[in-house]
Amino acid sequence: MIHRRLLQLAGAVPSAILALALVRIAISVLHLIFAITAASAIASLAHVSGEPLPALALLMAVTLVRGAAIWLHEPLAARIGASVRVRLRRRLLDRLSAVPAAERDSGETAATVIDAVEGLDAYYTRYLPQLLVVLVVPAAVVSLTWSYSATAGLALAVAAMVAVIAPRAWDALLLRNGRARWQRFARLSSDYIEALQNIPLVRSFGAGGRTAARLSADAEGLRQSTMAQLRLSLVETVVSALAMHLGIILAVAAALAAVIGGNAEAAAAITVLLLARECFRPIQDLGANWHAGYLGLTAVDGLDRLLSLRPAVADTGTHVTPAPHGTVDLAGVAYCYPGTGNGLHGLSLRIAAGETVAIIGPSGSGKSTLARLLEREADPAAGVIHIDGIELGGYTREARSRSIVVVPQDPVLFAWPVRDNLRLYRPDASDADIEHVARTAGIHHVICALPEGYATVLAENGEQLSGGQRQRLAIARALLSSAPVLVFDEVTSALDANTERHVMDAIAATAAGRTLILIAHRESACVHATRWIALDGGRVAATGDGPPSALALTTGETL
């Protein structure tokens, strides 16, 4: 079954499909030459006609050439399949990077990006090329057989049409059921990932047994759906196989009847027998390749859904040079979360390059919303943000990430070596630079205590580290970047007072000259602020010079 959307997703695949189809057609031609030559050799050995040695020599040569062609096809198919998978996954991941986390489903997305794309390999490199072969080779074999026996050719033509067309009646049903099965599979993958990620929470509520029972029931439902799909698929296989075998029998019977009636030579019956087999070889291969590429085909809805998602922000910036100084200007910026009214309402403020500004205020006042907008996880509904006089959306994605770095309260760490986690913003950083920022963030001794030091591969999201250690690792990662604007959103909330003071002192010394925006609830996190701004209800409620006092942190009022 040809799916237009899958052809569009693959980009330049049509030329690759044609190349593979041509190789497969060449292999089929060699099969035909082999069949005709083998028939001639058998006839010669049976003393029906001719000398056997020339036919046997040609048979050996064709066998060698055919083996070389098959050998060429497999690495070519593997190379093209890998290229398709890489291209498609790159498109999917590029789209996912711009989609808000609230719109993603990790389990379903992983199933689509990994399993579905893997299944498309067979669809592109085996099924579609073989479909082109089926459109050409059986017709050629029927014409060739017709030259030996018109009756045999007619029988072969009818059987070939039945073998190709009849199973297509099941394709639509198979695809519809397969899509439903894929949705079950994707949902189950999502549930398993969610359960694995939250095992401690599930255990703490004594819900382990209920969760296991639910997952088991869902897995059983998927098994039953799969078995029903296989039973339906077997019907298609039986119909196709029956047509192929009857076709061979009828064609040979017709050829034998012609020989007995004196209308054909005995050698013709042998040739028809071998040609009949070659007529149905491409059709049989098509059925096998259909099932091989079936997984990717049934997942087309998931692929289509991911690629049709619209990013929360349009990546249309053209300014490729990062901001050199770090002046931040917000003019009338508004952004509200749907259905809540919380966010920012006409916020205007200016932070000069090199300033250290504390942003304070009660929960829900808009502090973290400000960080989201500066990181460009979302665009303002109104107003504009400028960095060094250039609108934030005017920077390219890479230039923006080199202009401003936001460190969230709950940072994300990858299952990479510690060294590579720290190099996220600056891949070319030296080991000396990495160690320097790690010492600055007070995390160097923790890293050295890990089994392989900086080469230690972290568990998922750094689970072998405490909350405070993960925060300090994220602080070190931000300090290693060259961005002139650093935003720290409650990044010391998991640290004790002494460690927090040490880390903030080190940040102030190391990041001197950069623009620092400190979003915090605690006075100790803002001791180096040169100015503070209190937000309330998404608006500026009060401001003051120097670090905020404890009273200002709780009330937003100037003493």
Side-chain angles (χ1 to χ4, degrees), residues 397-413:
R397 186 185 303 174
E398 184 176 358
R400 187 207 56 75
S401 66
R402 292 185 178 182
S403 301
I404 183 167
V405 170
V406 177
V407 185
Q409 179 178 355
D410 188 16
V412 174
L413 299 176

Side-chain angles (χ1 to χ4, degrees), residues 458-475:
L458 295 179
E460 184 178 2
N461 204 26
E463 288 299 327
Q464 70 264 59
L465 303 176
S466 68
Q469 291 167 347
R470 289 198 295 271
Q471 286 184 334
R472 280 178 281 168
L473 203 60
I475 291 170

